[in-house]
Amino acid sequence: MGSKTGPAQHIKGFDGLRGISALAVIVHHTALTGTYIGDAAVYTFFVLSGFLIMGLLR
């Protein structure tokens, strides 16, 4: 069995970046419908969420 050294360190910057990504998706759906900002924000949100979740599962 693997031994854990403790919970993963919390990175506040990632939470902020995920929040900005969520806000960018909302802006894309309301004001900037012809841009790719929503796509980039969704990809960023999912990559960071996956990274944070994998850190919890270690």
Side-chain angles (χ1 to χ4, degrees), residues 43-57:
Y43 297 146
T44 303
F45 182 84
F46 283 134
V47 166
L48 289 175
S49 296
F51 178 77
L52 293 171
I53 289 170
M54 290 305 294
L56 292 174
L57 295 176

Side-chain angles (χ1 to χ4, degrees), residues 10-22:
H10 186 76
I11 303 171
K12 291 182 181 180
F14 283 173
D15 289 340
L17 189 55
R18 286 174 61 214
I20 291 170
S21 295

Side-chain angles (χ1 to χ4, degrees), residues 19-31:
I20 291 170
S21 295
L23 182 62
V25 169
I26 292 170
V27 168
H28 172 74
H29 282 290
T30 58

